[in-house]
Amino acid sequence: MTAVTITPLNDNTNGWSRILPPRQPKPALDRDLVVDWVVVGAGQVGLAAARRLAENRPGDSIALVEAGTAGEGAQGRNAGFIIDSPHNVGSSLGELSAARDYVTLARTAIASLEEQVRKYDIQCDWDPVGKLHTAVSPLGIKEILEPTRKVLDALKEPYTWLEGKALHERIGFKHFSTGIYTPGSVLVNPAALSRGLADNLPTNVTFYENTPVTEAQFSPEIRLTTPHGTIRAGKLIIAVSVFAGQFGVLRNRLIPLSACGSLTRQLTEEEQSRLEGSRSWGLTPANAFVGATVRRTRDQRILIRQDMRYWPQLRRDSASYKPISEHHQELFDHWFPALKGVTIENTWSGYICISRNDGAGFGEVAPDVYTAVCDNGLGWTKGTISGLLIADKASGTDNPLIATYEAIGQPSRLPPRPFLDVGVSARFSWELWRHRREA
Ligand SMILES: Cc1cc2nc3c(=O)[nH]c(=O)nc-3n(C[C@H](O)[C@H](O)[C@H](O)COP(=O)(O)OP(=O)(O)OC[C@H]3O[C@@H](n4cnc5c(N)ncnc54)[C@H](O)[C@@H]3O)c2cc1C
């Protein structure tokens, strides 16, 4: 029996859900349960896994348990980029086959998400507007954008290289010097999409919200403890991202990061007319640790995502948001002087799970116990596809993409804390200093 000592806390700061209508969560588990399958975690991975299991095994009973509520974990706190193109590439073409595989996996995930958005008419501002990958400095262009261009050329993927005025006319502000536009990515309100996916699960999935798992036993039988009931299941899928170590899974292999986002209030018609550029766009920075992700959303707000940090404590004091919000406001005022007086309405944070070698935690970790975690910050595409594929693997359903996903490899072992803390902090400081002009 493993005691889960840290469970997620919802600090009610998520700006994406605050701009949505109120939603009634599904009831928490309040009795003992025996099911064929239990999936823990209703992020991109857990939602995709529960749906695919239900499709593969229509006669089976499936419980999906979530510590918080739909769209309030990282799945609803991200920047809302559903990214189909390789944009974190190395400096050579050696990763080409991995890049090609990524595109295949990502597009399969996007097709699955789009099918559900259409089928259930999910109102999430689904916006197939593509995305920009942008740099400020010559170093960012040389080390990230130029290798990315070579990979796109080799993959024969369409893109547009934009410099100076051409880029500024597209986005309406001048901070970034160069960008690569790729047309296949989709932008969404991530909380709205997560809620929509959770509220339209197949009938043989029962979704329990506000139901944290506090103890997990894998043998001689699978048994989970929650505050008001236990769950005994034939098979278990653990889809809890950075919390996997709490279940005794992939300990010393996952690196938890905290990233922060802010949304301004909605721009008035008059303010929108003062802002040049397209009415909806999104850009990701050359260096994700240092630079900012920025969006003009379909509903006419500006999003800024920055301040990524190593965050092993998995808890954040609400007072820590004030300096981040002030920093995002300063960036906004500096970048969009024509919008003087527009204020940031909400600032929040969420967790990203990465590994040292970009490996993904995917597979059977004990008899009848499976996990899919660690998408290295690409939750909408890698998280969704890993959820679909872990369900196929666990239910014995053939899918050639399982081998493609497994080829990514497992997360490599990390040094124990406090050596890990020192190492990751040193690496962050180096990245921040070396790419300081990308900030
Ligand atoms: C600010 C920010 C910006 C980002 N931008 C993007 C982006 O633009 N595009 C993109 O693709 N990705 C982005 N990401 C990353 C993305 O959000 C994550 O990679 C993704 O959400 C991970 O999905 P998941 O299903 O593995 O985990 P999560 O979405 O974190 O879901 C795991 C769930 O498990 C639940 N859980 C944990 N422990 C327990 C327990 N004991 N009992 C029950 N439930 C439990 C949690 O409450 C949580 O809801 C961003 C992340 C952040 C924080």
Side-chain angles (χ1 to χ4, degrees):
M1 178 80 75
T2 306
V4 177
T5 50
I6 304 180
T7 56
L9 279 186
N10 182 5
D11 58 10
N12 294 313
T13 53
N14 184 5
W16 291 113
S17 55
R18 283 190 171 188
I19 60 178
L20 297 175
R23 169 183 173 272
Q24 185 63 39
K26 302 279 186 290
L29 181 68
D30 60 358
R31 64 188 189 289
D32 293 342
L33 202 65
V34 180
V35 284
D36 297 309
W37 299 85
V38 59
V39 179
V40 185
Q44 286 96 332
V45 178
L47 288 166
R51 167 169 298 281
R52 180 57 69 81
L53 279 179
E55 289 163 359
N56 291 349
R57 298 287 182 91
D60 284 5
S61 53
I62 301 156
L64 172 63
V65 288
E66 164 56 48
T69 53
E72 294 302 327
Q75 74 278 166
R77 291 173 174 244
N78 57 68
F81 286 68
I82 309 183
I83 297 174
D84 79 322
S85 52
H87 68 292
N88 287 330
V89 295
S91 56
S92 77
L93 292 182
E95 296 176 8
L96 192 58
S97 82
R100 185 172 284 120
D101 285 349
Y102 173 70
V103 172
T104 305
L105 292 165
R107 290 194 178 144
T108 308
I110 294 175
S112 163
L113 291 168
E114 184 169 12
E115 188 190 326
Q116 290 169 74
V117 167
R118 290 191 192 290
K119 184 170 173 189
Y120 304 115
D121 193 22
I122 298 173
Q123 301 297 310
C124 61
D125 282 341
W126 182 271
D127 198 358
V129 74
K131 84 169 198 46
L132 288 146
H133 200 45
T134 49
V136 179
S137 68
L139 188 67
I141 296 168
K142 178 167 167 279
E143 291 197 354
I144 307 291
L145 297 195
E146 283 173 359
T148 302
R149 167 156 67 175
K150 283 191 189 137
V151 169
L152 292 170
D153 281 337
L155 292 176
K156 298 193 173 34
E157 285 290 323
Y159 70 87
T160 312
W161 182 272
L162 296 163
E163 284 177 11
K165 198 159 169 268
L167 175 63
H168 302 148
E169 280 175 359
R170 177 84 65 115
I171 58 178
F173 75 111
K174 288 191 174 151
H175 178 62
F176 298 93
S177 70
T178 310
I180 299 179
Y181 171 75
T182 46
S185 296
V186 179
L187 306 180
V188 292
N189 174 327
L193 179 52
S194 298
R195 285 183 181 190
L197 297 173
D199 288 338
N200 289 286
L201 286 163
T203 49
N204 58 330
V205 178
T206 310
F207 183 26
Y208 299 96
E209 294 180 79
N210 294 308
T211 302
V213 172
T214 52
E215 280 177 348
Q217 175 188 292
F218 299 163
S219 72
E221 61 169 1
I222 293 168
R223 189 172 183 278
L224 304 179
T225 308
T226 75
H228 304 292
T230 59
I231 305 172
R232 285 189 293 138
K235 293 196 185 197
L236 162 65
I237 295 180
I238 300 170
V240 296
S241 183
V242 287
F243 295 90
Q246 294 293 314
F247 289 73
V249 168
L250 294 165
R251 275 197 179 133
N252 296 327
R253 287 176 190 266
L254 307 177
I255 304 174
L257 304 180
S258 159
C260 296
S262 291
L263 273 177
T264 65
R265 68 164 167 75
Q266 199 163 28
L267 305 178
T268 63
E269 295 272 333
E270 189 274 325
E271 286 161 349
Q272 291 170 38
S273 70
R274 274 191 259 151
L275 190 54
E276 292 172 5
S278 315
R279 283 185 60 82
S280 170
W281 49 261
L283 63 86
T284 51
N287 187 305
F289 299 111
V290 182
T293 293
V294 192
R295 274 181 66 183
R296 180 175 178 178
T297 62
R298 205 173 208 178
D299 72 340
Q300 300 303 306
R301 299 168 192 269
I302 301 293
L303 167 92
I304 296 178
R305 194 287 300 148
Q306 230 221 8
D307 299 281
M308 206 182 277
R309 297 281 180 274
Y310 174 53
W311 214 268
Q313 60 273 40
L314 301 176
R315 286 280 185 272
R316 187 183 267 277
D317 174 358
S318 56
S320 69
Y321 288 120
K322 192 164 180 282
I324 292 161
S325 181
E326 286 169 358
H327 177 221
H328 289 180
Q329 183 75 53
E330 270 168 36
L331 292 176
F332 175 81
D333 292 343
H334 181 57
W335 291 340
F336 300 98
L339 296 179
K340 197 167 171 14
V342 173
T343 50
I344 288 200
E345 212 170 48
N346 290 298
T347 297
W348 66 93
S349 72
Y351 299 113
I352 297 181
C353 187
I354 67 165
S355 57
R356 183 161 61 170
N357 61 344
D358 278 349
F362 178 91
E364 190 170 10
V365 290
D368 295 325
V369 178
Y370 296 81
T371 196
V373 294
C374 195
D375 52 49
N376 287 288
L378 288 163
W380 279 115
T381 44
K382 269 173 97 175
T384 298
I385 193 70
S386 71
L388 297 174
L389 296 175
I390 201 68
D392 283 344
K393 186 177 171 83
S395 59
T397 307
D398 269 352
N399 187 334
L401 291 181
I402 294 173
T404 309
Y405 200 84
E406 285 174 338
I408 296 171
Q410 292 291 324
S412 55
R413 192 175 287 283
L414 297 163
R417 298 182 69 189
F419 303 105
L420 176 65
D421 301 7
V422 173
V424 177
S425 301
R427 174 70 198 272
F428 252 91
S429 302
W430 166 244
E431 288 281 338
L432 288 171
W433 182 82
R434 188 154 182 274
H435 287 276
R436 59 196 178 283
R437 291 200 51 212
E438 291 297 322

